[in-house]
Amino acid sequence: MNWLAIAPGRVNLIGEHTDYNGLPVLPMALDRDVRIEFAVADGPVVRLDSPLARLDTFAFQLKRPIEAADQGHWSNYVRAAANGLLEHGVPLKQGIEGTVTGDVPIASGLSSSSALVVASALALLKANGVEVAGASETTGGPASSTRAQPEPALSPRSPVAPISRLELATLMARAERFVGLEGGGMDQAACLHGAEGHALRIDFEPLRVTPVAVPEGWRWVVASSLVRAEKSRGARDAYNERAGQCREALAVLGSVFANDASVTAERDRPGVAPVSYRDLIADGDVDGLLERTRRILPPALFRRFRHVVTEGRRVALAEVAMREADMRGFGDLMVRSHESLRDDYAVSTSELDEIVTVALEAGAAGARLTGAGFGGCAVALCDAPTMGPVMDALSERFYGPRLSRPPSREEMFAAKPSGGARVRIRDSSGGGL
Ligand code: GLA
């Protein structure tokens, strides 16, 4: 029997470089996915090919330790999933063989790599009879049963115990570190919890996912900067450097605040240093926090820190704006997020800045880079009548001088909030979807 594991990419609407700092994000799953058409292999081996450019055929044994392929090789995402499941004690006695296809643009900040990790995990779990609680294998509908719920503890498991989507998202976020990126948990959670018509507020430590309906009449335009941002190659070191700076800022503040009774007393926990970003902004006074920390942190660290804590506040405000259908307010927050990513976090590029400027000048309510930055895509928020003019302006002013043709559907498209990852029987007519 042939199966299809389908895992969507995501576009992050706001909350960038906050997930690995334990602060929330607000992405949505895309109506574009990575698909693995597979059959259960004869033994513990994974053998996959792909008609997609640059993805060559590979095979590996499901035996610990799973060896990494060369840096940047796409099989490392599949290996990451297998390794994560094995390390978690899921006995993978059966492998998979099949073909990977999909339409999530690669190296574009839209999480094609996490979609491949999640699709691989779902395929391996299916091949080994491990149920994913909340999976919609027959309907393929949104994972609507995954409203906010506490994350179950990750504990070694018995062979047949089902695994929940939250548990799998947490597990795959850790597993993906196999490629060397010190990533957070946004991408895997968005991929597994996508819900049609909804953005997803995702909180961490513990992982929680809360769908937020996107108000009627609003559209998201995703536009590529035409610069690849590969998680496992060039962008990786710059990303990890930012993550390190955030940890360093926290360590400095933790030690200073631990000795500052006035600070710790303010937090009703005298003598206890804030140990997380969430602690630091718990009282909601981000401006006061910035005042206090400006002279403690060296300037570069302070800028990174300022991005993280103000972005955390913007996500909270953006969620409220979306719930109240105040999408102009949401758009303003996107613009401020972009400025902060550009000026304080230093992850934008001149191409991303230009897309944001063109989109706003053409009437978008908001626009910002999405994903890690260093290339990849920007996302613009438009009301329905403005979407056409925004796309036209980008075609003409951004893509016109760079391409000798209009942008492809990979390079610019309208994104629809969509359902989460799932496994289905592939029907014999060949379509399966
Ligand atoms: C990458 C990582 C995510 C997140 C974003 C930036 O996509 O995989 O975990 O950190 O960058 O917000």
Side-chain angles (χ1 to χ4, degrees):
M1 165 133 40
N2 275 12
W3 298 89
L4 260 183
I6 305 168
R10 61 101 188 96
V11 57
N12 190 17
L13 306 178
I14 196 159
E16 219 65 84
H17 292 277
T18 48
D19 60 351
Y20 52 82
N21 290 309
L23 295 181
V25 293
L26 194 68
M28 67 184 204
L30 287 172
D31 51 339
R32 287 169 169 244
D33 32 59
V34 167
R35 293 166 205 191
I36 307 180
E37 184 191 335
F38 67 97
V40 179
D42 194 11
V45 64
V46 171
R47 202 174 293 117
L48 291 175
D49 59 26
S50 175
L52 300 173
R54 289 191 254 202
L55 306 189
D56 54 334
T57 303
F58 67 85
F60 66 90
Q61 295 291 320
L62 289 169
K63 229 176 33 203
R64 287 180 73 189
I66 291 199
E67 304 249 313
D70 291 348
Q71 187 181 326
H73 194 273
W74 72 292
S75 72
N76 281 335
Y77 294 105
V78 184
R79 292 168 197 263
N83 192 55
L85 292 173
L86 286 172
E87 280 195 344
H88 188 48
V90 182
L92 299 179
K93 299 215 164 74
Q94 308 287 340
I96 52 171
E97 44 197 344
T99 300
V100 177
T101 57
D103 57 0
V104 188
I106 293 175
S108 296
L110 302 176
S111 276
S112 58
S113 45
S114 299
L116 177 57
V117 171
V118 168
S120 305
L122 289 182
L124 286 166
L125 291 170
K126 169 56 72 184
N128 288 279
V130 182
E131 196 194 317
V132 177
S136 48
E137 292 176 345
T138 49
T139 66
S144 53
S145 57
T146 54
R147 305 280 146 177
Q149 25 180 312
E151 174 192 15
L154 285 178
S155 52
R157 32 193 334 97
S158 68
V160 288
I163 189 164
S164 77
R165 281 177 182 258
L166 283 170
E167 193 179 10
L168 188 58
T170 304
L171 196 54
M172 287 304 110
R174 278 185 214 160
E176 199 175 320
R177 294 183 165 201
F178 190 81
V179 301
L181 187 95
E182 295 169 24
M186 161 168 67
D187 306 344
Q188 303 78 6
C191 177
L192 278 156
H193 292 85
E196 268 171 38
H198 290 75
L200 308 164
R201 173 175 168 141
I202 303 176
D203 289 272
F204 302 94
E205 299 163 19
L207 181 66
R208 279 157 296 147
V209 182
T210 313
V212 185
V214 175
E216 286 293 314
W218 289 89
R219 307 275 185 271
W220 309 96
V221 173
V222 174
S224 165
S225 67
L226 307 175
V227 177
R228 290 168 71 86
E230 303 208 39
K231 266 187 185 177
S232 58
R233 292 181 196 257
R236 186 176 75 169
D237 294 346
Y239 181 101
N240 288 347
E241 186 195 3
R242 302 295 183 287
Q245 288 170 324
C246 292
R247 286 194 298 270
E248 201 184 325
L250 202 56
V252 172
L253 295 181
S255 58
V256 172
F257 286 178
N259 299 321
D260 181 343
S262 71
V263 173
T264 51
E266 268 175 36
R267 284 167 207 284
D268 292 334
R269 290 185 301 163
V272 178
V275 289
S276 69
Y277 280 90
R278 211 163 51 188
D279 278 347
L280 284 169
I281 64 170
D283 63 7
D285 183 13
V286 171
D287 294 331
L289 174 68
L290 291 172
E291 266 317 299
R292 284 202 302 279
T293 51
R294 182 183 296 274
R295 272 178 300 277
I296 301 174
L297 292 171
L301 278 197
F302 178 72
R303 281 198 299 278
R304 307 293 187 256
F305 178 79
R306 181 166 57 187
H307 166 72
V308 173
V309 295
T310 57
E311 187 77 348
R313 175 171 60 184
R314 281 187 289 273
V315 172
L317 294 171
E319 184 196 351
V320 173
M322 190 175 274
R323 288 190 188 283
E324 293 177 349
D326 171 17
M327 294 308 272
R328 302 266 162 216
F330 192 101
D332 289 342
L333 291 162
M334 290 175 74
V335 174
R336 282 195 266 138
S337 166
H338 183 78
E339 290 165 353
S340 175
L341 288 160
R342 182 192 63 200
D343 301 337
D344 276 351
Y345 220 62
V347 293
S348 190
T349 62
S350 57
E351 292 86 357
L352 289 165
D353 295 344
E354 193 180 328
I355 293 175
V356 168
T357 304
V358 171
L360 292 175
E361 285 178 4
R368 55 185 288 283
L369 72 82
T370 185
F374 316 109
C377 289
V379 58
L381 167 66
C382 310
D383 60 14
T386 315
M387 187 173 82
V390 166
M391 290 177 103
D392 289 347
L394 287 169
S395 288
E396 240 168 73
R397 292 174 52 194
F398 182 77
Y399 295 107
R402 291 174 171 83
L403 302 170
S404 52
R405 51 169 175 75
S408 67
R409 266 187 39 80
E410 290 255 296
E411 288 155 349
M412 183 173 69
F413 60 93
K416 230 172 66 189
S418 300
R422 58 216 179 260
V423 177
R424 293 179 165 181
I425 295 174
R426 185 183 188 279
D427 76 23
S428 52
S429 65
L433 290 173

